[in-house]
Amino acid sequence: MRWLVRFLFKAMVGFVAISLALVLLFKFVPVPVTATMILDGEVWDRGGVTKDWESLSNIDRNMVRAVIAAEDGKFCSHDGFDTEAIAKAAAMNAQGGRIRGGSTISQQTAKNVFLWQGGGYFRKGLEAWFTVLIEQIWGKRRIMEVYLNVAETGLATYGVEAGAQRYFGKSAASLSPTEAARMAVALPLPKERSVKNPGGWLRRHGNTIAARVGVVRRDGLDNCIYD
């Protein structure tokens, strides 16, 4: 019994040390690869991943504002968790139908960088731990920079720079509000949602997010990134 307790204690201390080391490292160093990329079958079918790390200063503010508008309107005001969105998602999921999430951009970044896709309470617990770490150690600007560089933007395509080149033949440094919005609304299901030629609900949703880009700018919902 004592051996087991010692083993568990050492394992916990080791996990904390390794996770802290990784978070500190990626505060300064671009994330080279993620579990999502490695486990993505499309990457191997297409002969590798397409990605191109860019600093946030080389990504158009329209893209930043579009993901805030589409994914996490309270990004600059929460501490990593939007309790209201989580409670709302839980209530809607209890009613059945399509499962909805309440994850913030910070939580998505923690999952994308350090963990794997899919649910489960164990992974959610790890996600919460890494979310707290990156909020405290990275700060909002670095979280947004990493998110925009590791998010899946299409088949075997990761990051908004690679996505912008793929869909619009241009750099992510010069995206219009409409282009940024189309990429943002496709992020939850990048393999299924069309960016170049969306139709129906997806086009309407993209137009709504494009309009909200101006609201994010007007209301300073991205101030934590640029101030």
Side-chain angles (χ1 to χ4, degrees), residues 28-161:
F28 306 103
V29 177
V31 179
V33 69
T34 67
T36 302
M37 296 176 191
I38 294 172
L39 298 174
D40 185 353
E42 295 290 344
V43 167
W44 307 112
D45 291 342
R46 291 171 174 264
V49 63
T50 300
K51 61 185 180 70
D52 188 358
W53 186 280
E54 287 290 346
S55 69
L56 199 61
S57 59
N58 292 331
I59 297 175
D60 199 295
R61 292 192 181 193
N62 285 325
M63 190 70 242
V64 173
R65 290 164 177 158
V67 296
I68 289 176
E71 296 286 299
D72 188 359
K74 298 179 182 179
F75 178 70
C76 281
S77 59
H78 63 60
D79 59 358
F81 307 93
D82 185 344
T83 54
E84 183 179 349
I86 293 172
K88 183 177 179 180
M92 297 182 71
N93 292 337
Q95 299 174 7
R98 183 173 64 87
I99 299 297
R100 295 169 173 81
S103 294
T104 63
I105 286 175
S106 301
Q107 288 174 271
Q108 293 177 49
T109 304
K111 176 185 66 177
N112 289 341
V113 173
F114 301 104
L115 304 169
W116 60 92
Q117 303 300 312
Y121 290 113
F122 178 68
R123 202 227 66 200
K124 279 291 185 182
L126 293 177
E127 178 185 296
W129 164 249
F130 279 108
T131 298
V132 171
L133 289 184
I134 64 175
E135 279 280 337
Q136 296 300 313
I137 297 174
W138 288 3
K140 296 292 187 179
R141 182 178 174 86
R142 180 59 174 176
I143 290 173
M144 179 61 72
E145 182 174 62
V146 174
Y147 174 73
L148 293 177
N149 275 286
V150 302
E152 185 180 13
T153 51
L155 292 172
T157 305
Y158 288 84
V160 296
E161 174 63 24

Side-chain angles (χ1 to χ4, degrees), residues 189-203:
L189 295 168
K191 289 185 174 72
E192 301 175 20
R193 295 183 176 181
S194 174
V195 173
K196 291 190 67 174
N197 299 299
W201 172 85
L202 191 60
R203 175 176 287 274

